[in-house]
Coordinates of all heavy atoms in Angstrom, one line a residue:
L1307 N 112.7 -20.1 -122.6 CA 113.8 -20.7 -121.6 C 113.5 -20.3 -120.3 O 113.6 -21.2 -119.3 CB 115.1 -20.3 -122.1 CG 116.4 -20.9 -121.3 CD1 116.4 -22.4 -121.2 CD2 117.6 -20.2 -121.7
F1308 N 113.2 -19.1 -120.0 CA 113.2 -18.7 -118.6 C 111.8 -18.9 -117.9 O 111.6 -18.5 -116.7 CB 113.5 -17.2 -118.4 CG 115.0 -16.7 -118.9 CD1 115.1 -15.5 -119.4 CD2 115.9 -17.8 -119.0 CE1 116.5 -15.2 -119.7 CE2 117.2 -17.4 -119.3 CZ 117.4 -16.1 -119.8
E1309 N 110.9 -19.5 -118.6 CA 109.5 -20.0 -118.0 C 109.8 -21.2 -117.1 O 108.8 -21.5 -116.5 CB 108.6 -20.2 -119.2 CG 108.2 -18.9 -119.8 CD 107.2 -19.1 -120.9 OE1 106.4 -20.2 -120.8 OE2 107.3 -18.4 -121.9
R1310 N 110.9 -21.8 -117.2 CA 111.0 -23.0 -116.4 C 112.3 -22.7 -115.5 O 113.3 -22.0 -115.8 CB 111.3 -24.1 -117.3 CG 111.3 -25.4 -116.6 CD 110.4 -26.2 -117.3 NE 109.9 -27.4 -116.5 CZ 109.1 -28.3 -117.0 NH1 108.7 -28.2 -118.2 NH2 108.7 -29.3 -116.3
A1311 N 112.4 -23.4 -114.4 CA 113.6 -23.3 -113.4 C 114.9 -23.9 -114.1 O 114.7 -24.9 -114.9 CB 113.2 -23.9 -112.1
L1312 N 116.0 -23.2 -113.8 CA 117.2 -23.6 -114.2 C 118.1 -24.2 -113.3 O 118.0 -23.8 -112.1 CB 118.0 -22.4 -115.0 CG 117.1 -21.7 -116.0 CD1 118.0 -20.5 -116.5 CD2 116.7 -22.7 -117.2
L1313 N 119.1 -25.1 -113.6 CA 120.1 -25.5 -112.8 C 121.5 -25.3 -113.5 O 121.7 -25.9 -114.5 CB 120.0 -27.0 -112.4 CG 121.0 -27.6 -111.5 CD1 121.2 -26.9 -110.1 CD2 120.9 -29.1 -111.3
A1314 N 122.3 -24.4 -112.9 CA 123.6 -24.1 -113.5 C 124.7 -25.1 -113.1 O 124.8 -25.4 -111.8 CB 124.0 -22.7 -113.0
D1315 N 125.2 -25.8 -114.0 CA 126.3 -26.6 -113.8 C 127.4 -26.0 -113.2 O 127.5 -24.8 -113.3 CB 126.8 -27.4 -115.1 CG 127.6 -28.5 -115.0 OD1 127.7 -29.1 -113.9 OD2 128.3 -28.8 -115.9
E1316 N 128.3 -26.6 -112.5 CA 129.4 -25.9 -111.8 C 130.4 -25.2 -112.7 O 131.0 -24.3 -112.3 CB 130.2 -26.8 -110.9 CG 131.0 -27.8 -111.5 CD 131.6 -28.8 -110.5 OE1 131.8 -28.3 -109.3 OE2 132.0 -30.0 -111.0
N1317 N 130.2 -25.4 -114.0 CA 131.2 -24.7 -114.9 C 130.6 -23.4 -115.4 O 131.1 -22.6 -116.2 CB 131.6 -25.5 -116.0 CG 130.4 -26.1 -116.8 OD1 129.4 -25.5 -116.9 ND2 130.7 -27.3 -117.5
I1318 N 129.4 -23.0 -115.0 CA 128.8 -21.7 -115.3 C 129.2 -20.8 -114.2 O 129.1 -21.0 -113.0 CB 127.2 -21.8 -115.3 CG1 126.8 -22.9 -116.4 CG2 126.6 -20.5 -115.5 CD1 127.2 -22.5 -117.8
H1319 N 129.7 -19.7 -114.6 CA 130.4 -18.8 -113.8 C 129.3 -18.1 -112.8 O 128.0 -17.8 -113.3 CB 131.0 -17.5 -114.5 CG 131.9 -16.8 -113.7 ND1 131.6 -15.7 -112.9 CD2 133.4 -16.7 -113.6 CE1 132.6 -15.3 -112.3 NE2 133.7 -15.9 -112.7
P1320 N 129.6 -17.9 -111.4 CA 128.6 -17.4 -110.5 C 128.2 -15.9 -111.0 O 126.9 -15.7 -110.7 CB 129.4 -17.1 -109.2 CG 130.6 -18.1 -109.4 CD 130.9 -18.3 -110.9
E1321 N 128.8 -15.2 -111.8 CA 128.3 -13.9 -112.4 C 127.1 -14.1 -113.2 O 126.1 -13.4 -113.3 CB 129.4 -13.2 -113.0 CG 130.4 -12.6 -112.2 CD 131.5 -11.9 -113.0 OE1 131.2 -11.4 -114.2 OE2 132.6 -11.5 -112.5
V1322 N 127.2 -15.3 -114.0 CA 126.0 -15.6 -115.0 C 124.8 -15.9 -114.0 O 123.7 -15.4 -114.2 CB 126.4 -16.8 -115.8 CG1 125.1 -17.3 -116.5 CG2 127.5 -16.4 -116.7
V1323 N 125.0 -16.8 -113.0 CA 123.9 -17.0 -112.1 C 123.3 -15.9 -111.4 O 122.1 -15.5 -111.4 CB 124.3 -18.1 -111.0 CG1 123.3 -18.3 -110.0 CG2 124.7 -19.4 -111.6
R1324 N 124.2 -14.9 -110.9 CA 123.7 -13.7 -110.3 C 123.0 -12.8 -111.4 O 121.9 -12.3 -110.9 CB 125.1 -12.9 -109.7 CG 124.9 -12.4 -108.5 CD 126.1 -11.7 -107.9 NE 127.4 -11.7 -108.7 CZ 128.3 -12.6 -108.5 NH1 128.1 -13.6 -107.5 NH2 129.4 -12.6 -109.1
G1325 N 123.4 -12.7 -112.5 CA 122.9 -12.1 -113.6 C 121.4 -12.5 -113.9 O 120.4 -11.7 -114.2
L1326 N 121.3 -13.8 -114.0 CA 120.0 -14.3 -114.2 C 119.0 -14.1 -112.9 O 117.8 -13.8 -113.2 CB 120.1 -15.8 -114.6 CG 120.6 -16.1 -115.9 CD1 121.0 -17.5 -116.0 CD2 119.8 -15.5 -117.1
L1327 N 119.6 -14.2 -111.8 CA 118.7 -14.0 -110.8 C 118.3 -12.5 -110.6 O 117.1 -12.2 -110.2 CB 119.5 -14.2 -109.3 CG 119.6 -15.8 -109.0 CD1 120.7 -15.9 -107.9 CD2 118.4 -16.4 -108.6
E1328 N 119.1 -11.6 -111.1 CA 118.8 -10.2 -111.1 C 117.6 -9.9 -112.1 O 116.9 -9.0 -112.0 CB 120.0 -9.3 -111.3 CG 120.9 -9.2 -110.2 CD 122.2 -8.6 -110.6 OE1 122.5 -8.3 -111.8 OE2 123.1 -8.6 -109.7
R1329 N 117.5 -10.8 -113.1 CA 116.6 -10.8 -114.2 C 115.1 -11.5 -113.7 O 114.1 -11.6 -114.4 CB 117.1 -11.2 -115.5 CG 118.1 -10.4 -116.2 CD 118.8 -11.3 -117.2 NE 119.7 -10.4 -118.0 CZ 120.9 -10.2 -117.8 NH1 121.4 -10.6 -116.6 NH2 121.6 -9.4 -118.5
G1330 N 115.2 -12.0 -112.6 CA 114.0 -12.7 -112.0 C 114.0 -14.1 -112.3 O 112.9 -14.7 -112.2
V1331 N 115.0 -14.7 -112.9 CA 114.9 -16.0 -113.4 C 115.2 -17.1 -112.2 O 116.0 -16.8 -111.3 CB 116.1 -16.3 -114.4 CG1 116.2 -17.8 -114.8 CG2 115.9 -15.4 -115.6
D1332 N 114.5 -18.0 -112.1 CA 114.5 -19.1 -111.0 C 115.6 -20.0 -111.4 O 115.6 -20.9 -112.4 CB 113.2 -20.0 -111.0 CG 113.3 -21.0 -109.9 OD1 114.4 -21.3 -109.3 OD2 112.2 -21.6 -109.7
I1333 N 116.9 -19.7 -110.9 CA 118.2 -20.5 -111.1 C 118.8 -20.9 -109.9 O 118.9 -20.1 -108.9 CB 119.0 -19.7 -112.1 CG1 120.2 -20.7 -112.4 CG2 119.4 -18.4 -111.6 CD1 121.0 -20.1 -113.7
L1334 N 119.3 -22.1 -109.8 CA 120.2 -22.6 -108.7 C 121.6 -22.9 -109.4 O 121.5 -23.5 -110.5 CB 119.6 -23.8 -107.9 CG 118.4 -23.5 -107.1 CD1 117.8 -24.9 -106.6 CD2 118.6 -22.7 -105.8
A1335 N 122.6 -22.7 -108.6 CA 123.9 -23.3 -109.0 C 124.0 -24.7 -108.3 O 123.6 -24.8 -107.3 CB 125.1 -22.3 -108.5
A1336 N 124.7 -25.6 -109.0 CA 124.9 -26.9 -108.6 C 125.5 -27.0 -107.2 O 125.1 -27.7 -106.4 CB 125.6 -27.8 -109.5
V1337 N 126.4 -25.9 -106.9 CA 127.2 -26.0 -105.7 C 126.3 -25.6 -104.5 O 126.4 -26.0 -103.4 CB 128.4 -25.2 -105.8 CG1 129.5 -25.6 -106.8 CG2 128.0 -23.6 -106.1
Q1338 N 125.1 -24.8 -104.9 CA 124.2 -24.4 -103.8 C 123.4 -25.6 -103.3 O 123.0 -25.6 -102.2 CB 123.2 -23.4 -104.4 CG 123.7 -22.2 -104.7 CD 122.6 -21.3 -105.2 OE1 122.4 -21.4 -106.4 NE2 122.1 -20.4 -104.4
I1339 N 123.2 -26.7 -104.1 CA 122.5 -27.8 -103.7 C 123.4 -28.9 -103.4 O 122.9 -30.2 -103.5 CB 121.3 -28.2 -104.6 CG1 121.9 -28.4 -105.9 CG2 120.4 -27.0 -104.6 CD1 120.7 -28.8 -107.0
G1340 N 124.5 -28.8 -103.1 CA 125.6 -29.8 -102.7 C 126.0 -30.6 -103.9 O 126.5 -31.8 -103.7
L1341 N 126.0 -30.1 -105.1 CA 126.5 -31.0 -106.2 C 127.8 -30.4 -106.7 O 128.2 -30.8 -107.8 CB 125.4 -30.9 -107.3 CG 124.2 -31.8 -106.9 CD1 123.1 -31.5 -108.0 CD2 124.4 -33.2 -106.7
G1342 N 128.5 -29.7 -105.9 CA 130.0 -29.3 -106.5 C 130.8 -30.5 -106.4 O 130.9 -31.2 -105.6
G1343 N 131.4 -30.7 -107.6 CA 132.2 -31.8 -107.8 C 131.5 -33.0 -108.1 O 132.0 -34.2 -108.4
A1344 N 130.1 -33.1 -108.2 CA 129.4 -34.3 -108.4 C 129.4 -34.6 -109.9 O 129.7 -33.7 -110.8 CB 127.9 -34.0 -108.1
G1345 N 129.3 -35.9 -110.3 CA 129.2 -36.3 -111.8 C 128.0 -35.7 -112.5 O 127.0 -35.3 -111.9
D1346 N 128.2 -35.7 -113.8 CA 127.2 -35.1 -114.7 C 125.8 -35.8 -114.5 O 124.8 -35.3 -114.5 CB 127.6 -35.2 -116.1 CG 128.8 -34.2 -116.4 OD1 129.1 -33.3 -115.5 OD2 129.4 -34.4 -117.4
A1347 N 125.9 -37.2 -114.3 CA 124.8 -37.9 -114.2 C 123.8 -37.5 -112.9 O 122.7 -37.4 -112.9 CB 124.9 -39.4 -114.1
S1348 N 124.6 -37.2 -111.8 CA 124.1 -36.8 -110.5 C 123.4 -35.4 -110.8 O 122.3 -35.2 -110.4 CB 125.0 -36.7 -109.4 OG 125.6 -38.0 -109.2
V1349 N 124.0 -34.5 -111.6 CA 123.5 -33.2 -111.9 C 122.2 -33.4 -112.6 O 121.2 -32.7 -112.4 CB 124.6 -32.3 -112.4 CG1 123.9 -30.9 -113.0 CG2 125.7 -32.0 -111.5
L1350 N 122.3 -34.2 -113.7 CA 121.1 -34.4 -114.5 C 120.0 -34.9 -113.7 O 118.8 -34.5 -114.0 CB 121.4 -35.2 -115.7 CG 120.7 -35.2 -116.9 CD1 120.5 -33.9 -117.3 CD2 121.2 -36.2 -118.0
R1351 N 120.1 -35.9 -112.9 CA 119.0 -36.5 -112.0 C 118.6 -35.4 -111.2 O 117.3 -35.4 -110.9 CB 119.7 -37.7 -111.2 CG 119.7 -39.0 -112.0 CD 119.9 -40.2 -111.1 NE 121.1 -40.1 -110.4 CZ 122.4 -40.4 -110.8 NH1 122.5 -41.0 -111.9 NH2 123.4 -40.3 -109.9
A1352 N 119.4 -34.6 -110.5 CA 118.8 -33.7 -109.5 C 117.9 -32.6 -110.3 O 116.9 -32.2 -109.8 CB 120.1 -32.9 -108.8

């Protein structure tokens, strides 16, 4: 799983994103890339 970059949907708690970053995982939160409130199809496309 962690060999590939991740995108956390907005329902994933920021503590989870922080915890993965601390483990060296390449992860972005949807809100970080302007997808807060975006539909699921938009998140999947991004």
Side-chain angles (χ1 to χ4, degrees):
L1307 182 61
F1308 299 158
E1309 290 178 30
R1310 193 121 198 189
L1312 307 178
L1313 177 61
D1315 189 22
E1316 67 183 340
N1317 58 25
I1318 299 296
H1319 198 280
E1321 287 180 19
V1322 172
V1323 175
R1324 230 179 348 267
L1326 291 173
L1327 286 169
E1328 289 170 0
R1329 289 166 172 80
V1331 176
D1332 180 354
I1333 184 168
L1334 287 175
V1337 296
Q1338 287 178 284
I1339 57 173
L1341 292 173
D1346 296 341
S1348 296
V1349 173
L1350 200 57
R1351 278 192 302 273

